[in-house]
Amino acid sequence: MEPFSFSTSHLSIPTNTTIFSPKHHPPSSAAAATTTTTVSFSLKPPSDSNNSAAPRRPSKPLKTTPTSNPLANKLWLTSKLSPPPPPPPPPETEAETETAAEESGGEGANSDSRTDFRQPGKIFVGNLPAWVKKPQVAEFFRQFGPIRSVILIKGHHETERNAGFAFVIYDGDDEEAADTAAMRAVEFDGVEFHGRVLTVKLDDGKRTREKARERAVWLGGNGGEGEHRSTWHEERDGSRKGFQKVLETQPENWQAVVSAFERIKKPARKEYGLMIKYYARRGDMHHARQIFESMRARGIEPSSHVYSSLIHAYAVGRDMEEALHCARKMKEEGIEMTIVTYSIIVGGFAKMGNADAADHWFKEAKERLPSLNAVIYGSIIYAHCQTCNMDRAEALVREMEEQGIDAPTDIYHTMMDGYTMIGNENKCLIVFDRLKECGFSPSAVSYGCLINLYTKIGKVSKALEISKMMKMTGIKHNMKTYSMLINGFLKLKDWANAFSVYEDFTKDGLKPDVVLYNNIITAFCGMGNMDRAICMVKQMQKERHRPTTRTFLPIIHGFARAGEMRRALEIFDMMRRNGCIPTVHTYNALILGLVDKRQMGKAVTILDEMNLAGVRPNEHTYTTLMQGYASLGDTEKAFQYFTVLRNEGLEVDVYTYEALLKACCKSGRMQSALAVTKEMSAKKIPRNTFVYNILIDGWARRGDVWEAADLMQQMRKEGIRPDIHTYTSFINASCKAGDMQKATEIIQEMEASGIKPNLKTYTTLINGWARASRPEKALRCFEDMKVAGWKPDKAVYHCLATSLLSRATFAQSYVYSGLLSICREMIESEMTVDMGTAVHWSRCLRKIERTGGELTEALQKTFPPDWTSHNVLDVNSETETADLESDDDDDDDDVHYNANGINGDDDTDDEDYDNVIS
């Protein structure tokens, strides 16, 4: 059964329904009046000029049943009924052959044979200067008539000089016109040409006749005399046959192919063409060009086939400029471009994603060639599918159907791949169904297109269903289908299922390629198993697979994220030793790791190395550096790299402005931050949640709750929903302004919107109650945090203990018991405080237990290991006078609390929001 073709001339379906229909609807006037956008693959019977004279009859009658597919008749009509071949002519008897030979014998036969070998319009030109070239000869003899070609015989030893003679072939509307021009040229026999007297005469066909006779002697002997080919010719023919055999049996062994070609003593145009074609398939355009020039140096003129092979070599090597140069040379030399040549050029531009250039050459092919085939249509359809222009691809499919060209399975797969790129699941499935309806059996490529579709749109479960369906039909997975499944699970960060697919891959006895190795290495790096990833690289090298830059990138990125920059740099050097050239993504991974560790000097050094290596930094490079300087509060450096980014013409996006806003808010330059937001509005870059979080956090650092509230209202007007970080920053602003009632209202609003407080939110609220001198509220908030399932960290314990110590007295037993409980929890968690905190807490303990006690003993277990009683006595003796003279009121305690608790918490806030933004 012939494959179907795509058309909308028979099926008309509205846009709100599927694009294909299995039912055939004949055209009508009502349907023609309806304006519907249709995309359909119809099955059109082939055109037949004799259809009206003699109706066709099917070879087998069609059996119809009430439950048969309504497309059955349509599918059957696509079968082209080719007439049987004509019977072979009866063989001639020996008597008839002898009679014919006698009738054509004698002197007239020799004369006729001379005339047969003579080419009309061809003249011989002798005594030419050795330095002359084709253009000079053509220019001189063009005065007698239009010239088809000039054959200049080159020297045997010096190919740059000619042998002293040439043949000029005149052109004309017919043979008589060409002979007339040749006769006019012969009249000028003896004319002087560049100091030489030329010999000009008609070609008598002697050269062609001798070649034919010599060939006949080589092949079959000369009559009954038994004169056979010489040893040299036999060896030459043997080497030519050996070369063709190596090409057929060992195409992957390029050394054997080259050796077989070099053994041919005098290669002909056919061997040169085969060698150029071999290099073209390998994409070795330089060696293909070398063989081409060697052929021309031997005096062998290239044919259309040879030129097409050379153009194919440049197309595979993605050098379309040189491919077009070869096409222009073909036209200059009068060699017509065939449909193969046009298909190669269109396919070359299609692979490079240049659909406009592919369209240009496709239109030229339609204008110059009488008909096109499925290959060139497949190339132009592929070009538009790669650029996601599916409307144009569908139009080309309809055009191909109108030309009566049957679509092969490659067209189906190309269309499925195009619909996959735009994420159109419905149309992709319809193409797959039509493929089966038209008699094609789905292959591994067909199922692979569906697996690729579902992995790209995130429906990996459906991809697994397609995989099971594929196995049920008896089709085994190949390398690409397994790679697609693994890649789909990697996108979901489902490492377990990714390794499960890899185990199935190994059970099938397949050997991984570079792409599959890279996916497995990415999975190990995602799991944090960096040592296993390095082992996979070594195993990859043992299997003689060359690692690429993409192989080492996830390993470098993993070490950089983990803060192990020494090992990341070691892998970077290892990548260079393996011959892999670092890309901008490799350098960005190193810079990101150094920025996370706040090593901005080393990050700038990597940037300098990047520029020296000729790798141009991109937007992500400068944005990462800006984020690093923003975390340090260095606004000047952040603006400096922002200026460099704009001067180099790189795209400034919302992430770049986020880094700039972070630098301004971190350093307290809120007016500069407002100027940045105005520039964002001027460039029509919308604000997202992260931008508002940075701005609200900036105003929270200054305690300006009114500006923070205004930003919250702007968020709601723009339809941006606040997240947990937005609410936490707003609570921080309220706490610093001392408005704990507002902070409590924000907590209630947050819980009403379905957002639960996190550890950072509770820490901020405890800090606020401590500032408000309400330790009982802070202690209650601490208990609520534990009930919510959050484990307190060092910042929470520090903040709460400092607040309670500043308020603890013997009258407030709940505060005393709360301190003991916090100390026991810190001891169980093996937490210790720094020396400054220990000194401050020891001063507060002197007011509670001057001679020591249970609280002092418990609290000192959280002090640093180098803390001793001697240090306590020294601190107490130094501060005893100051403590006796100082007032024992709440204001002094607040000063101690603010000097230690708030600063430490601010540092924690900064680190948390840096992580959120990054």
Side-chain angles (χ1 to χ4, degrees), residues 755-816:
I755 301 176
K756 296 181 178 181
N758 60 5
L759 182 62
K760 177 65 179 176
T761 311
Y762 282 113
T763 305
T764 306
L765 203 57
I766 292 171
N767 189 7
W769 287 119
R771 280 177 174 271
S773 301
R774 300 290 298 274
E776 67 281 359
K777 291 282 188 180
L779 195 59
R780 187 180 303 170
C781 186
F782 178 73
E783 296 298 331
D784 293 340
M785 179 181 67
K786 291 193 293 183
V787 170
W790 294 102
K791 184 179 180 181
D793 59 358
K794 188 175 181 179
V796 176
Y797 283 120
H798 177 277
C799 178
L800 189 58
T802 304
S803 174
L804 295 177
L805 282 171
S806 302
R807 299 284 176 257
T809 60
F810 290 105
Q812 296 173 324
S813 59
Y814 72 94
V815 176
Y816 188 85

Side-chain angles (χ1 to χ4, degrees), residues 180-204:
T180 302
M183 291 300 296
R184 285 198 298 266
V186 170
E187 292 177 0
F188 281 80
D189 181 26
V191 69
E192 184 178 353
F193 179 72
H194 291 289
R196 292 288 190 95
V197 178
L198 297 182
T199 300
V200 184
K201 59 182 180 181
L202 288 174
D203 178 46
D204 57 358

Side-chain angles (χ1 to χ4, degrees), residues 418-520:
Y419 289 129
T420 298
M421 295 179 70
I422 64 175
N424 195 328
E425 179 184 356
N426 293 331
K427 289 187 178 181
C428 187
L429 291 175
I430 290 171
V431 177
F432 181 76
D433 292 337
R434 299 296 286 180
L435 182 145
K436 294 187 294 184
E437 290 175 359
C438 292
F440 291 108
S441 298
S443 62
V445 179
S446 309
Y447 286 108
C449 291
L450 292 181
I451 293 174
N452 188 31
L453 166 70
Y454 287 122
T455 53
K456 284 193 173 181
I457 63 178
K459 298 181 179 180
V460 185
S461 58
K462 286 194 175 183
L464 289 176
E465 292 178 5
I466 298 295
S467 175
K468 294 178 181 178
M469 185 190 307
M470 182 177 173
K471 292 180 179 179
M472 290 174 62
T473 56
I475 300 175
K476 294 184 178 180
H477 281 277
N478 56 20
M479 191 78 65
K480 289 187 177 180
T481 54
Y482 275 120
S483 296
M484 291 173 187
L485 288 173
I486 293 175
N487 194 27
F489 285 118
L490 291 182
K491 290 180 180 179
L492 299 177
K493 296 184 179 180
D494 190 348
W495 319 119
N497 279 319
F499 284 113
S500 176
V501 175
Y502 180 68
E503 290 177 0
D504 294 339
F505 171 84
T506 54
K507 288 178 181 178
D508 287 348
L510 299 175
K511 292 185 178 180
D513 60 354
V514 176
V515 176
L516 194 59
Y517 270 118
N518 290 346
N519 287 337
I520 295 301

Side-chain angles (χ1 to χ4, degrees), residues 69-88:
N69 191 343
L71 273 178
N73 294 330
K74 197 173 185 63
L75 291 172
W76 168 74
L77 287 175
T78 59
S79 300
K80 295 183 178 180
L81 303 177
S82 56

